[in-house]
Amino acid sequence: MSAYFVTGTDTDAGKTLVTSGLLALAHRRGLTTLGLKPVASGSDPTIEGLRNADALALQAQTRPTLPYATINPFAFAPAIAPHLAARRAGVTLALDDLIERTWPLLEAGRDLTLVEGAGGWRVPLNETEDLSDLAAWLELPVILVVGLRLGGISHARLTAEAITASGLRLAGWVGSLVDPAFADDDALYRDNLATLAATLPAPCLGIVPRLPAGDASAMAEAAADHLALPDGN
């Protein structure tokens, strides 16, 4: 069983696209998969309750499938920082609650389990705890999704340093092209990628280009074509 925590350099860095792509790639290889999104803000009301698009994308790549509430136990409507969304909903997010809902699933032993964070590495859960504390408590190696845009190199290096400072191993990084203009100058684009490869202390697991819009499953399959599983899996 392999389990990893997936974080990003920022909000909208491409975490869900990469996470679902890695799960799709694992499924192609006949592996059982589990994608978890413990906390999600920016959720839509449905007859079954709040549903978050990112969590639904991970649920679709979870084989065998599991109920939505297992994938995403804490969903909030406003697309704001999770601790603030929780506060508006009258809920207190606590690390112990996340551990209680996540740890037993890791023990179930899927071939590949990916726990996707929210926003960047230091997103707060409450006044004293961060979502990164969940990764630290579970002792999960981390996959870093680097949003490829101006400023991305510094964001990536600072996040990698914070992950290491938390006592965790950076298992790999994935570049996700979020600003198409960033790749207009091909030589400069390749120089930026080379700088990331030279300065991040982990292997590159792929570079995901800007993909045509489509449904979540189609985009996961498209992303999988540009990815490698971590740690030689």
Side-chain angles (χ1 to χ4, degrees):
M1 185 273 290
S2 297
Y4 302 86
F5 190 89
V6 182
T7 191
T9 47
D10 204 347
T11 300
D12 295 329
K15 291 188 305 297
T16 300
L17 178 62
V18 169
T19 303
S20 60
L22 288 169
L23 293 170
L25 178 58
H27 186 250
R28 286 181 189 177
R29 298 184 180 177
L31 303 178
T32 58
T33 57
L34 173 57
L36 300 175
K37 182 83 173 178
V39 180
S41 52
S43 305
D44 298 318
T46 75
I47 59 173
E48 297 177 318
L50 289 173
R51 292 294 183 265
N52 175 265
D54 293 346
L56 288 170
L58 301 190
Q59 183 186 28
Q61 298 302 326
T62 294
R63 314 289 174 82
T65 190
L66 288 171
Y68 179 86
T70 303
I71 304 295
N72 175 216
F74 295 97
F76 303 103
I80 57 179
H83 71 298
L84 299 179
R87 185 183 302 168
R88 286 192 178 183
V91 175
T92 299
L93 285 174
L95 178 62
D96 285 347
D97 293 330
L98 298 189
I99 292 170
E100 179 182 351
R101 286 162 173 79
T102 306
W103 176 249
L105 297 171
L106 300 185
E107 290 289 282
R110 299 282 176 109
D111 293 325
L112 178 65
T113 297
L114 299 179
V115 182
E116 184 186 323
W121 182 246
R122 289 299 187 195
V123 166
L125 287 176
N126 51 52
E127 289 80 1
T128 60
E129 297 173 324
D130 295 336
L131 187 51
S132 59
D133 294 331
L134 176 63
W137 194 96
L138 297 172
E139 298 182 334
L140 293 178
V142 180
I143 297 171
L144 172 61
V145 180
V146 179
L148 297 177
R149 55 189 161 201
L150 188 62
I153 292 174
S154 179
H155 292 162
R157 296 180 67 185
L158 287 170
T159 304
E161 290 173 7
I163 291 166
T164 301
S166 297
L168 297 174
R169 177 174 68 91
L170 184 63
W173 64 276
V174 175
S176 172
L177 184 61
V178 296
D179 179 8
F182 190 68
D184 283 349
D185 184 327
D186 185 66
L188 181 58
Y189 181 54
R190 292 181 182 278
D191 282 345
N192 276 288
L193 296 180
T195 300
L196 286 167
T199 56
L200 292 178
C204 178
L205 303 177
I207 304 296
V208 179
R210 191 71 175 178
L211 298 173
D215 65 66
S217 293
M219 294 190 72
E221 290 293 339
D225 292 336
H226 301 277
L227 295 169
L229 295 179
D231 295 324
N233 291 312

